[in-house]
């Protein structure tokens, strides 16, 4: 988990302290997940959310979310599911609706302590 946090924290963060979800796409991950997509601005990173490959959705989120306990919990779930040596894109195995609730809660200035509050 520490390796993942270090790697993601190297993303240059802009001066905005507010969460901003730029967009989400209902699509499959790119054929070569190691290639960078040009639609990810500085200070942000792509996250693929979904319980299985057929219902994955791509979100662009601010790197500042890495400081939030709720997002650390999501990263821990990802590590449990896929391991720390996961290559390519970051995948979070959670229902898309629950992830959207997490983002909306953070956007409104609330910082839920666990996912149980949002389910």
């Amino acid at each position: 988990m520490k390796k993942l946090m270090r790697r993601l924290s190297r993303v240059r963060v802009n001066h905005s302290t507010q969460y901003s979800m730029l967009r989400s796409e209902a699509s499959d991950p790119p054929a070569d997940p190691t290639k960078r997509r040009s639609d990810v601005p500085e200070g942000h990173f792509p996250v693929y959310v979904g319980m299985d490959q057929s219902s994955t959705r791509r979100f662009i989120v601010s790197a500042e979310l890495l400081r939030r306990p709720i997002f650390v919990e999501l990263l821990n779930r990802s590590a449990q599911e896929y391991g720390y040596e996961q290559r390519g894109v970051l995948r979070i195995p959670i229902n898309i609706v629950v992830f959207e609730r997490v983002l909306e809660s953070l956007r409104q200035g609330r910082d839920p302590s666990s996912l149980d509050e949002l389910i």
Side-chain angles (χ1 to χ4, degrees), residues 38-107:
S38 61
D39 63 341
V40 180
E42 285 188 33
H44 293 75
F45 61 96
V47 177
Y48 288 87
V49 177
M51 297 303 288
D52 55 41
Q53 292 289 345
S54 64
S55 63
T56 300
R57 191 161 159 196
R58 182 175 186 255
F59 292 84
I60 307 295
V61 296
S62 171
E64 291 183 8
L65 290 181
L66 295 172
R67 297 184 200 151
R68 305 295 184 116
I70 191 74
F71 209 78
V72 171
E73 183 178 342
L74 291 171
L75 292 175
N76 284 330
R77 284 185 180 215
S78 178
Q80 288 173 355
E81 179 77 20
Y82 305 113
Y84 291 106
E85 300 302 319
Q86 174 183 333
R87 294 189 167 263
V89 297
L90 175 60
R91 299 181 197 287
I92 297 179
I94 191 170
N95 186 295
I96 294 170
V97 174
V98 174
F99 187 75
E100 289 174 333
R101 286 182 192 157
V102 168
L103 297 179
E104 184 61 29
S105 177
L106 293 172
R107 182 182 302 140

